Amino acid sequence: MDTVSENKAFGGTQGVYRHSSDACGCDMTFGLFLPQEARDGAVPVLWYLSGLTCTHENAMVKAGAQAWAAEQGIALIFPDTSPRGDGVADDDAYDLGQGAGFYVNATQDPWAPHFRMWDYVAEELPALVAREFAIDSERQAITGHSMGGHGALTLAMNLPGRYRSVSAFAPIAHPTASDWGRKQLSAYLGGNEADWARHDATLMMRETGFDGPVLVDTGTQDQFIDLLKPEALADAVNARRQEATLRLQPGYDHSYFFVSTFMEDHVNFHAEALWA
Amino acid sequence: MDTVSENKAFGGTQGVYRHSSDACGCDMTFGLFLPQEARDGAVPVLWYLSGLTCTHENAMVKAGAQAWAAEQGIALIFPDTSPRGDGVADDDAYDLGQGAGFYVNATQDPWAPHFRMWDYVAEELPALVAREFAIDSERQAITGHSMGGHGALTLAMNLPGRYRSVSAFAPIAHPTASDWGRKQLSAYLGGNEADWARHDATLMMRETGFDGPVLVDTGTQDQFIDLLKPEALADAVNARRQEATLRLQPGYDHSYFFVSTFMEDHVNFHAEALWA
């Protein structure tokens, strides 16, 4: 693992690291914020999964999460959103291929050899950071934005016991019924829709739910709200009587200005579960 | 004036606007954050001047200032750092020409026709925002980073009564004695060093000082600290018995991670003066 950069921030360290990924078969880069408390022992961690077109960097520099994570004494991990590199398949569209991994293990060509973001985020990267940094693997939580909100919700419901809490900003909440989803799931997983179900937060909520608190914010002026389908997730949450707070935030859109506005709430929500 | 974008943020609005600038003889773009309170009347304003290579956008998306400005009910203005465009002179170096206006009125060719950032920030843009937005011109304060810290300090000391408080993050504090300064001041203003003096915070502090509180933060690990010369400004502050807080922050570098870490302190410092 190579250190790309380390900057002191909010009393802790904002690092960027590169490593050779077995899951993705290429070099992968991630951001990690460690609060001051990590000098004295392992700290809880909040995963932040980013959306379409993002790298590890966008949320790390724009979401303003470090201020609140430092206050709560928790670490933040910012993974990339796909495998990358010259040898990695890609597509001209912004919403398929590099920058658009959708947090699945692809089974279809040309994506299958590298696009294994599920294994990367669920297995390889947690093991790496637990080995290399003062991270308490018993205290994990997860959040994300848009495609990353989809990733956070589906990982949380597929891996019971892994995360103490899950939240999302403007998640793609029902991808099997959305143009943000059907295109990518068929490309990566093939045409059998039964294979898609575990990668749909609404279907997972109907089937399984989450054993812990859920927080989801979506802006009423989100320009992509018809693709996100917060109403489908709300139906499933209500049908299950899932412990959850689903908020529609008046006037907010899909941008990082929306994410940063509600970041304090989300970090504090997770901190409460992580420190319980 | 054209609206480039408006996003709801922290209860207020983060806007980006473009206008034809008389001072610079080209189109100029700036960011403006208006807190919720601006719907009901004019609010105080904090200017944020950016550093070398930046546009209006960097601090607007990376410095995390809106969270604290919203809490304090004050507006933020993020001007660009130079004139721009095909018809505007430039240089291959990152520290001269476009992105490196140094907040002066150039008198030398090829810079003189467009590089009038002093007039732009001191006169034209304040008049424009006071006319177009709910900004209280009687309550202004100013801050900035690096070259922008230089701009903030020199504007504040040259325009007594204009700003109630001034602060800076890692300012270029003594440009007439630094490679970040001598090159640019001679290019823009010519070889007569007497013309440079009002654009040097240390010389202005010796000569004039500031009628209000001053706050300056610099990181002890700032990779450019030899170019910034905080010790020169500290000497001048002490000689004058200027009301000031000069802090060296252990372990911090020159990045936005440093700026965002101390942004809450700076916004609160200005809010105290603006609401007094």
Side-chain angles (χ1 to χ4, degrees), chain A residues 6-12 14 60-62 66-68 250-253 255 257-258 260-261, chain B residues 6-12 14 60-62 66-68 250-253 255 257-258 260-261:
Chain A
E6 287 183 335
N7 300 86
K8 188 164 178 184
F10 295 95
Q14 178 60 61
M60 190 183 95
V61 302
K62 292 166 75 173
Q66 293 91 346
W68 315 116
Y252 288 89
D253 59 29
S255 69
F257 294 114
F258 157 68
S260 59
T261 296
Chain B
E6 286 183 335
N7 300 86
K8 189 164 177 183
F10 296 94
Q14 178 59 62
M60 189 183 95
V61 301
K62 293 166 75 174
Q66 293 91 348
W68 316 115
Y252 288 90
D253 59 28
S255 69
F257 294 114
F258 157 69
S260 59
T261 297

Side-chain angles (χ1 to χ4, degrees), chain A residues 12 25 35 39 58 77 134 143 158 160 165 195 210 212 232 242:
Chain A
R39 287 175 214 157
N58 302 63
I77 304 183
T143 187
N158 275 279
S165 47
D195 297 336
F210 178 68
Q242 165 74 44

Side-chain angles (χ1 to χ4, degrees), chain B residues 52 94-96 102 172 174-186 224 226-229:
Chain B
L52 290 166
Y94 75 97
D95 62 356
L96 190 68
F102 255 77
I172 302 174
H174 193 19
T176 63
S178 169
D179 287 341
W180 271 358
R182 295 190 63 81
K183 169 184 176 177
Q184 294 83 359
L185 295 172
S186 58
F224 304 112
D226 290 344
L227 294 163
L228 303 177
K229 304 194 183 300

Side-chain angles (χ1 to χ4, degrees), chain B residues 140-225:
Chain B
Q140 298 190 59
I142 192 163
T143 186
H145 175 222
S146 195
M147 175 183 76
H150 145 76
L153 291 165
T154 53
L155 280 154
M157 287 186 275
N158 275 280
L159 300 171
R162 169 72 65 90
Y163 308 103
R164 299 205 176 183
S165 47
V166 60
S167 79
F169 301 85
I172 302 174
H174 193 19
T176 63
S178 169
D179 287 341
W180 271 358
R182 295 190 63 81
K183 169 184 176 177
Q184 294 83 359
L185 295 172
S186 58
Y188 295 143
L189 303 178
N192 182 356
E193 295 197 22
D195 297 334
W196 305 359
R198 63 190 282 259
H199 296 292
D200 183 301
T202 295
L203 299 182
M204 282 299 297
M205 183 58 73
R206 285 184 199 153
E207 196 65 33
T208 309
F210 178 67
D211 182 23
V214 176
L215 171 63
V216 179
D217 277 315
T218 306
T220 62
Q221 300 304 308
D222 192 307
Q223 58 271 48
F224 304 112
I225 200 162

